[in-house]
Amino acid sequence: MRANRWIDFRITSLLILVLLLSGCSSSTVTPVPVGNTEQQAVIKFVAAEYSSSTKPVLERLVRNFMRENPSITVELQVVNWDLIDGVYTSMISEGQPPDLLNMNMYARFGHDQLLNNMDELISEDLKNKLSPHLLKLDRIDGQQYAIPYVATIRKLYYEQNLFRQAGISSPPQTWSQLTKDATKLKAIGAYGFGVDLTDNEIPAYLSYFFFGAGGGWMKNGKWDINSPQNVTGLTYLKHLYTKGLTDPEPTVTIRDEKQRILGDGQLGMMISGNYFAAVTEREFPNTAWGSGMIPVKDGQPEMNFGVQDVMLSFKTDHTNKEALSTFLDYLYNDENYENIIRQEGMIPVTTTVANKLSLENPLMEADINRLQTAYFYPLQQPEWGDIMALTRKMGNAILYNGITPQAALDQVQQYAERQQTLYQNPTHP
């Protein structure tokens, strides 16, 4: 042991001597390069796939960003909406959630304290140009759990040639008019009204007919899913199907496929978002189409329904707030964000891009204004994600399995109340 200590002493003495000599060296001596010691920041970004344009647009944006910011690596994963729930759920369960997620809900993750406060990530410039109205929907008790990413206003779209053949002069505004027009379209061999009760769109179609009947998802902070108005709305929706006035497979053909059926001249009407125009004009440039308000129950005032998808940031073992802020500034800068909006056919959530596109297109300006008075999903409720998941199982049950609209909505109401109680009064083992 003494010999080892002597060796250690000699080595230490030599190291001290080297350091002393180095300190006396001329300042003109160039040090040996040891490479870039700056730690590489990593951002895992999971983005929802809106169209065939989503992946190439975001891939190009990420490549350009990393070229300009070599100390930040962005690992992009673009996932189809049908698969994205499973992807981010798996990542969270493995303890490696995404740094950024583009999604249609956030409150559940905020309730579980999994999210970064976006006020600590986004720059003042970005915050000041995001829509204040939409930002408010992404905040709970003063905590900015998410920021808006894209938005849409839902409208009734129709095929003008089929309307002309069926003798329909204008889009229906009420349910009685919708029934008459769908009947006329059926008489000329077309599908009347497209209904999407597949997984991703069931909550949207329920919303159209809930709000259209004077109902909604919540009332005075409580779930109101089985209200008489909502039952009326769902009963009417089922009536359209049983009378053969819809497309034949509401629980099979997704929204994008229905848009193609309409573009191909086989479907007369459907409800969709602003992206309808981008998709139809790209895939069916010769289609003559028009748009109108979502039809409502006779006697009800016209209503707007809006949807916003959000950007949220999970706390991770490598969270780098400065890097995240830099990337979000780049993503939302006017040139990049405008390109995303044009490619996807959405409504912009930044005032700068919104103002520019409004000057170009009066319809865009009108839709942006409609967002201010539109109904939205109850995004601020942590149980909303659970309720969406349950409603996805309702399509086949309601249309084919004989369950009544009242019974179906009773089940969802009971589930929603249980989940709300659980989130308000969590149990701790």
Side-chain angles (χ1 to χ4, degrees):
M1 291 296 292
R2 288 179 181 175
N4 289 338
R5 287 173 183 167
W6 172 245
I7 292 171
D8 290 343
F9 173 76
R10 293 291 301 275
I11 292 173
T12 302
S13 299
L14 287 170
L15 288 172
I16 292 173
L17 181 60
V18 169
L19 291 173
L20 288 172
L21 290 172
S22 299
C24 298
S25 300
S26 168
S27 60
T28 60
V29 175
T30 304
V32 177
V34 292
N36 183 10
T37 59
E38 184 179 2
Q39 185 176 3
Q40 191 79 5
V42 176
I43 297 173
K44 296 180 180 179
F45 178 22
V46 175
E49 184 179 46
Y50 292 95
S51 71
S52 58
S53 298
T54 306
K55 188 174 182 179
V57 166
L58 290 180
E59 284 180 339
R60 184 165 55 253
L61 183 147
V62 165
R63 280 197 305 270
N64 292 338
F65 173 80
M66 290 194 296
R67 188 179 301 116
E68 297 178 23
N69 298 272
S71 63
I72 304 174
T73 297
V74 179
E75 298 177 357
L76 173 66
Q77 189 174 2
V78 177
V79 185
N80 185 279
W81 274 106
D82 293 329
L83 305 174
I84 196 167
D85 284 350
V87 170
Y88 70 72
T89 299
S90 177
M91 295 174 72
I92 293 172
S93 66
E94 293 170 0
Q96 293 295 325
D99 297 280
L100 291 175
L101 174 65
N102 152 218
M103 197 50 198
N104 59 3
M105 63 175 181
Y106 69 88
R108 181 176 67 192
F109 307 123
H111 178 274
D112 293 339
Q113 300 183 6
L114 299 178
L115 300 180
N116 290 310
N117 184 346
M118 296 300 285
D119 277 337
E120 298 176 0
L121 297 185
I122 61 175
S123 66
E124 280 299 311
D125 287 343
L126 175 54
K127 184 175 182 178
N128 289 337
K129 69 180 181 180
L130 288 171
S131 163
H133 179 65
L134 296 179
L135 266 178
K136 185 178 179 180
L137 298 178
D138 303 334
R139 186 166 59 245
I140 304 174
D141 297 330
Q143 180 94 345
Q144 194 72 51
Y145 286 114
I147 59 174
Y149 179 58
V150 294
T152 64
I153 278 287
R154 301 298 172 93
K155 292 183 281 189
L156 182 82
Y157 291 87
Y158 61 95
E159 214 283 339
Q160 292 179 340
N161 291 324
L162 289 178
F163 264 44
R164 190 160 40 249
Q165 293 175 41
I168 304 170
S169 59
S170 60
Q173 297 180 347
T174 65
W175 288 355
S176 62
Q177 293 170 353
L178 177 62
T179 300
K180 290 177 182 177
D181 291 346
T183 301
K184 292 178 181 179
L185 290 163
K186 181 181 179 182
I188 64 169
Y191 303 133
F193 178 58
V195 173
D196 188 349
L197 296 185
T198 60
D199 285 0
N200 288 322
E201 282 293 289
I202 283 183
Y205 266 79
L206 291 177
S207 297
Y208 306 150
F209 288 88
F210 286 179
F211 291 115
W217 291 96
M218 302 193 78
K219 185 176 182 179
N220 299 324
K222 300 292 184 182
W223 291 100
D224 197 36
I225 298 170
N226 63 345
S227 68
Q229 295 89 343
N230 290 353
V231 173
T232 296
L234 186 54
T235 300
Y236 174 67
L237 179 59
K238 183 176 181 178
H239 165 79
L240 288 173
Y241 172 75
T242 55
K243 293 296 182 181
L245 301 179
T246 71
D247 61 298
E249 297 181 315
T251 63
V252 177
T253 53
I254 63 173
R255 180 190 63 208
D256 290 350
E257 292 169 342
K258 293 184 200 299
Q259 290 179 169
R260 295 185 181 100
I261 295 172
L262 187 147
D264 204 30
Q266 301 177 58
L267 173 64
M269 301 174 281
M270 66 177 291
I271 300 172
S272 190
N274 303 75
Y275 37 76
F276 175 93
V279 171
T280 304
E281 290 174 0
R282 183 164 54 238
E283 299 186 12
F284 298 94
N286 297 321
T287 298
W289 58 269
S291 65
M293 301 293 290
I294 296 175
V296 297
K297 181 184 176 185
D298 296 61
Q300 286 292 320
E302 67 177 29
M303 67 93 179
N304 292 305
F305 184 75
V307 176
Q308 69 147 325
D309 293 335
V310 298
M311 186 73 71
L312 47 138
S313 174
F314 285 89
K315 298 174 182 177
T316 70
D317 57 8
H318 59 270
T319 295
N320 187 316
K321 293 183 179 180
E322 184 177 352
L324 286 166
S325 180
T326 301
F327 179 69
L328 288 171
D329 274 346
Y330 190 84
L331 177 69
Y332 282 89
N333 81 33
D334 289 353
E335 181 180 354
N336 291 332
Y337 186 64
E338 180 184 339
N339 185 43
I340 292 171
I341 291 298
R342 289 187 184 277
Q343 292 294 326
E344 303 291 13
M346 303 287 191
I347 296 177
V349 300
T350 66
T351 54
T352 46
V353 175
N355 290 339
K356 180 179 179 180
L357 299 188
S358 293
L359 291 174
E360 296 179 10
N361 186 349
L363 291 177
M364 174 64 77
E365 181 180 20
D367 287 344
I368 291 171
N369 290 333
R370 288 190 181 109
L371 285 176
Q372 305 303 311
T373 58
Y375 294 104
F376 286 87
Y377 294 131
L379 293 179
Q380 293 166 313
Q381 296 300 127
E383 63 272 17
W384 171 240
D386 303 324
I387 294 166
M388 278 200 300
L390 180 63
T391 61
R392 289 169 180 163
K393 304 174 183 178
M394 289 178 57
N396 286 323
I398 293 170
L399 296 186
Y400 311 125
N401 297 344
I403 186 172
T404 65
Q406 179 73 64
L409 295 183
D410 283 344
Q411 291 180 15
V412 182
Q413 175 71 23
Q414 293 165 11
Y415 179 75
E417 290 175 352
R418 288 198 303 270
Q419 294 305 107
Q420 186 175 35
T421 300
L422 287 175
Y423 279 105
Q424 291 177 345
N425 304 290
T427 56
H428 299 284

